[in-house]
Amino acid sequence: MVLTMTLELSISVVDTIMLGHYSALHLAAVGLASSLWLPVGCFLIGLTFGITPLVTRHLHGRQPKLVNLYMSQAIGLSVVLGVLASLVAVTLLPYFAGLMATEEETRQVSIAYLYIFAPALPMLALMTAYKNLFEAAGRPGFPLFVASLGIVLNVLFNYVLIFGHFGFPEMGAKGAALASALSLYLAVTLFFVYDRFINKAPLFTRLVWRYTRKFGILLNVGAPAGFAFAFEVGLFSSMTWLISSFGDLALGGGQIVMSYTSFLFTPMMAMSAVTAIVVAKAMSKEGVDGVRKRIRVIVWLGLLYVGICFTITQLFHDQIPYIYSNNAEVVALAASILLISSCYQFPDMLQTVFTGALRGFRDTRSTMIAFAVSLFGLSIPFGFWLSHYSPWAETLSLRGFYIGLGAGLTLLAAILIVRFQIVLRRYEGKRIASPREVA
């Protein structure tokens, strides 16, 4: 699961690297466009997170036919809300892109990127639903194959479409948008064909039309998770919007930091999904004591991972940005921000693990509230004050926003750890003992 998610988000890293060597303005344009559509896309992804604990518990309870109901709901949600998200991406988001870009070329490229990528948003939700289904069922191999093939094809599509090789026109950022859209459509097609015609033990055997219009059960778990995920990504996106006031080169530096930190964050996101599955299974079989043992192991693994990431980033912060761009000003700015971003990876890991743990208990509303309070109640106001009104504003400049982000993530981790302890005490001495109780 860690490898799968790392490869999936590596597509964004590939886009950033190839565009950074194509044009600094095209890099800034994709950073701006991504900051606008990512919160919408991540809300769609978060909606399907509810599949993980539900499918895990029902398969354990020997109720596999209920999987069809949940996947039918997931398909209905993905199509309906995905089409709405696509409409938002081609109507409202270009308007905001036009307001935030300072260069005319950046503005035009951002809008074109949104127009090309928008129709693929329903596929983003469907792909995540299928991936969550296979992983919750304990079959992570095929999602890994799809992700591996996807990144190889994305590199090829980018090479052909961004730079204009093999007789194709040179499209720049528009080529990156088209490549990403094609990769998503291909991934959904592979999942459907494999599970329907090749898989010897298919998971999703029948589309129940009645449940494609009844979203209640999945929405009850998935909507708060979707909002929480969108809040977190929205915070990073709003950082991009706030940074835009410092110029398009600052946008490019911010996009480098976003791409690099997202790549490092990917295994932690996968760890969150693993935690949700592990907690759901442990509660079914062993109760609270089993959950505690596994959480301790996961937290120690997370600390080991972020310790390695922190060391690498601190040692090579001057060299890492050159992977993405040759522009000296953009590289220098990104290098200074990487020193700050490496420090907030520790609380970021903790909040990610405990978000997954609470999702395993199907407690997603408290996570959504905690994200909203800590990230938008502290991170943005504190970061804005540091960058514009504090005594150190002139020295910190846009770096103040990243210090504010670290403060918000620390508060978020503390809230989620406390909430997890409260939930554990509530379930003390209990476990999910029967399929009927699971239902």
Side-chain angles (χ1 to χ4, degrees), residues 49-356:
F49 283 171
I51 286 178
T52 303
L54 293 170
V55 167
T56 301
R57 290 185 177 185
H58 285 301
L59 286 176
H60 173 71
R62 301 294 185 268
Q63 296 171 303
K65 289 185 179 179
L66 288 175
V67 172
N68 289 333
L69 305 187
Y70 295 134
M71 277 302 290
S72 298
Q73 289 189 37
I75 287 175
L77 270 175
S78 299
V79 172
V80 172
L81 296 183
V83 169
L84 289 175
S86 297
L87 292 174
V88 168
V90 297
T91 54
L92 293 179
L93 299 188
Y95 172 74
F96 291 109
L99 289 178
M100 288 184 280
T102 56
E103 298 284 342
E104 182 60 29
E105 184 181 356
T106 305
R107 183 181 299 112
Q108 291 178 357
V109 173
S110 296
I111 293 171
Y113 186 98
L114 289 169
Y115 282 148
I116 294 170
F117 185 76
L121 285 173
M123 297 300 107
L124 180 65
L126 281 173
M127 181 197 71
T128 311
Y130 263 114
K131 182 176 77 72
N132 289 341
L133 172 64
F134 274 78
E135 290 176 346
R139 303 185 198 177
F142 189 70
L144 177 60
F145 167 75
V146 173
S148 303
L149 182 62
I151 192 168
V152 170
L153 290 177
N154 193 256
V155 170
L156 177 62
F157 292 157
N158 274 343
Y159 179 74
V160 170
L161 297 173
I162 291 176
F163 299 98
H165 293 292
F166 304 116
F168 285 86
E170 183 180 325
M171 299 176 68
K174 292 183 282 188
L178 185 57
S180 298
L182 288 172
S183 298
L184 286 173
Y185 275 96
L186 180 63
V188 174
T189 303
L190 285 172
F191 272 118
F192 173 76
V193 170
Y194 174 78
D195 197 41
R196 190 85 172 105
F197 302 107
I198 302 173
N199 194 359
K200 293 179 180 178
L203 297 170
F204 180 32
T205 56
R206 185 169 66 92
L207 182 67
V208 185
W209 285 102
R210 185 158 55 94
Y211 279 88
T212 59
R213 301 186 300 275
K214 293 184 177 182
F215 311 140
I217 302 171
L218 185 60
L219 203 58
N220 187 46
V221 180
F227 277 116
F229 194 22
F231 284 157
E232 183 175 12
V233 175
L235 175 72
F236 284 91
S237 297
S238 61
M239 298 271 288
T240 303
W241 308 335
L242 294 168
I243 287 170
S244 65
S245 63
F246 292 91
D248 284 0
L249 290 180
L251 268 177
Q255 177 61 15
I256 289 174
V257 174
M258 171 82 84
S259 178
Y260 176 73
T261 54
S262 296
F263 181 74
L264 296 185
F265 181 66
T266 303
M268 291 191 280
M269 279 184 65
M271 195 181 295
S272 178
V274 171
T275 304
I277 294 172
V278 165
V279 166
K281 286 187 176 180
M283 275 304 298
S284 297
K285 295 181 178 179
E286 303 170 51
V288 168
D289 289 340
V291 171
R292 283 202 176 100
K293 284 191 292 186
R294 285 156 179 77
I295 287 294
R296 280 196 292 269
V297 172
I298 292 170
V299 168
W300 279 111
L301 285 172
L303 287 172
L304 175 63
Y305 172 72
V306 295
I308 293 170
C309 293
F310 175 82
T311 304
I312 291 172
T313 306
Q314 289 286 327
L315 289 175
F316 301 105
H317 67 279
D318 285 324
Q319 290 77 33
I320 290 168
Y322 280 106
I323 299 172
Y324 296 88
S325 177
N326 293 323
N327 187 296
E329 190 175 345
V330 171
V331 165
L333 184 60
S336 65
I337 298 172
L338 285 176
L339 285 172
I340 301 168
S341 68
S342 63
C343 298
Y344 61 65
Q345 288 172 353
F346 291 95
D348 206 10
M349 180 276 298
L350 289 173
Q351 69 85 8
T352 306
V353 168
F354 285 97
T355 295

Side-chain angles (χ1 to χ4, degrees), residues 220-225 228 358-359 362-369:
N220 187 46
V221 180
L358 289 170
R359 197 160 71 236
R362 287 185 276 186
D363 181 1
T364 49
R365 285 188 178 83
S366 58
T367 306
M368 175 184 69
I369 295 168

